[in-house]
Every structure is written in C-alpha cells, then in structure tokens.
Amino acid sequence: MEKELPKTAAFQDEFTSSLLDSTEEVEEGHYLLESATGGYSMLWPKNAVTDGPPFYQRTKDSFEKIIFYETNEKENYRYSFSTTYSTYGESAIESSLNLLSSSVGYYDEYEKIETDKNRIYYAKYEEPLENSTAYFYFGYILSKESQKGLEYIYTAQCIDKAKPSCDVDVEKEEEKALHYMKSVKFNKDELR
C-alpha cells in the first residue's frame, strides 16, 4: 500500500513533490530539497510549489534554476523564491553579483556575511507596486570549499494592500530570508 503523502502544497503538487526526497520535515514547516545536481541542499517551505519548466531548469550537474512560491489568499500574502545554482565560484563573483543586481534592479553595496562554510553577499530593498509593496531580500551564497554558488532571491508581499489582513513584518521576513540563505549547504566534490 502506498504511503499517504502529507497534505501540504509541496507534496500535493506532482512536479514539486518529485523534487523532494523525503516527506519528513527537517525543520518545522520545511522539507529538504537535495538538488538533482548533487551540488547543494536547501530548505523548502511545506506550502511552496514550483511549476516545472520554465520555472525549473537544469543543465547536468553545473546549473539549476528553481522559481517557487507560496501564496495564501486567506492571509493575503505571497512569498516568491528564485534560486540559481552554478559552479563558477569566487572567480566570477563580480559577474554573479552584476547578474543578481540587474535581475532585481539593485545597484548598491552588498553586505558580506560569513558562516562556517559559506560566504553570503547580501542586500535588500523594497519596491512600491500598484496595490502593495514588494520586499526583496537577496544574496549570492558562495561555498568556501568549492566553486559552487547559489543566487537566492526571496520576496515577500501582500497580494492586495487594500485588504486589512495585509501585514508584512519586514524584520521578521528579513530574519526568515537570512535563515534560508544560511541553511544552504553545498556538498563536497567527490574525488574521481
């Protein structure tokens, strides 16, 4: 008999569930995405989904882009995520940051955050939209042990500012974004 899948958006969506290895939460409200590239793993919110190509693209073991989102009409919020994995590393950090900057429209300094195994170039900004404000938290995460890197863009916004249930706590969202970025783990290269 097949095991019943969790009643979470991630596992109720066929394409999204195909990306996740285990129905066990690794942290409250989150599964673990072990990348099909074999290069990294990251937290995946249990109610986030992706739609397959073009929202999911992969080139062998060297490139993977995933655009995923979590929408809650009742609570009036939408979180979107965009991650791009590559194997250019520190040598291409300038062009990686330029690409990140142009994709979010940010042209200022990045803060450097050091973790045990990674270096994160991090920034944030907000953009007023017609019926809400989008809060962008983004960074480029570099492995200190290999040439692996992950561009990470997290956006929090209300679906409709006119609704009273709209309340984005910018400090809480930034904390969440940094937690997601700091929890990215790069796998060590296997010696061939």
Side-chain angles (χ1 to χ4, degrees):
M1 197 173 102
E2 265 190 58
K3 204 165 92 174
E4 197 174 309
L5 291 174
K7 300 251 181 284
T8 57
F11 273 99
Q12 294 302 309
D13 180 81
E14 195 176 333
F15 185 80
T16 305
S17 66
S18 74
L19 300 176
L20 303 169
D21 293 338
S22 169
T23 56
E24 296 299 309
E25 291 185 19
V26 287
E27 198 175 277
E28 190 183 336
H30 296 85
Y31 301 116
L32 188 69
L33 172 102
E34 288 274 5
S35 167
T37 62
Y40 70 100
S41 63
M42 67 180 182
L43 291 175
W44 187 282
K46 69 178 185 180
N47 290 314
V49 295
T50 183
D51 294 332
F55 298 94
Y56 178 86
Q57 300 165 30
R58 187 173 134 227
T59 308
K60 297 191 171 83
D61 294 344
S62 61
F63 172 85
E64 183 174 49
K65 183 174 185 76
I66 311 174
I67 296 171
F68 52 111
Y69 54 89
E70 178 180 339
T71 305
N72 186 323
E73 301 275 344
K74 198 170 117 249
E75 301 286 331
N76 189 27
Y77 69 78
R78 177 183 174 93
Y79 299 128
S80 22
F81 304 81
S82 169
T83 58
T84 308
Y85 167 77
S86 65
T87 51
Y88 304 125
E90 189 79 59
S91 60
I93 189 60
E94 285 306 310
S95 56
S96 297
L97 288 176
N98 286 340
L99 280 170
L100 172 57
S101 289
S102 61
S103 68
V104 294
Y106 172 86
Y107 301 97
D108 211 339
E109 294 297 303
Y110 284 85
E111 177 189 344
K112 250 191 219 179
I113 299 168
E114 302 282 338
T115 67
D116 282 355
K117 299 187 184 226
N118 298 337
R119 180 174 298 118
I120 303 169
Y121 293 83
Y122 171 77
K124 64 182 177 179
Y125 85 99
E126 55 190 69
E127 183 180 322
L129 303 171
E130 197 178 319
N131 62 352
S132 73
T133 300
Y135 299 90
F136 290 86
Y137 306 92
F138 47 96
Y140 197 86
I141 308 157
L142 271 179
S143 169
K144 294 179 183 177
E145 303 174 320
S146 69
Q147 290 300 300
K148 299 180 169 104
L150 187 75
E151 175 189 284
Y152 201 115
I153 303 168
Y154 170 69
T155 315
Q157 70 187 89
C158 298
I159 298 168
D160 185 353
K161 197 161 61 174
K163 289 187 179 158
S165 63
C166 176
D167 182 27
V168 173
D169 180 335
V170 287
E171 282 174 16
K172 203 168 122 195
E173 295 306 332
E174 179 170 28
E175 222 171 83
K176 205 156 90 176
L178 283 167
H179 179 67
Y180 285 139
M181 290 180 207
K182 288 175 180 174
S183 66
V184 169
K185 287 187 174 55
F186 293 102
N187 300 330
K188 279 213 168 116
D189 289 321
E190 319 260 311
L191 293 171
R192 302 204 184 285

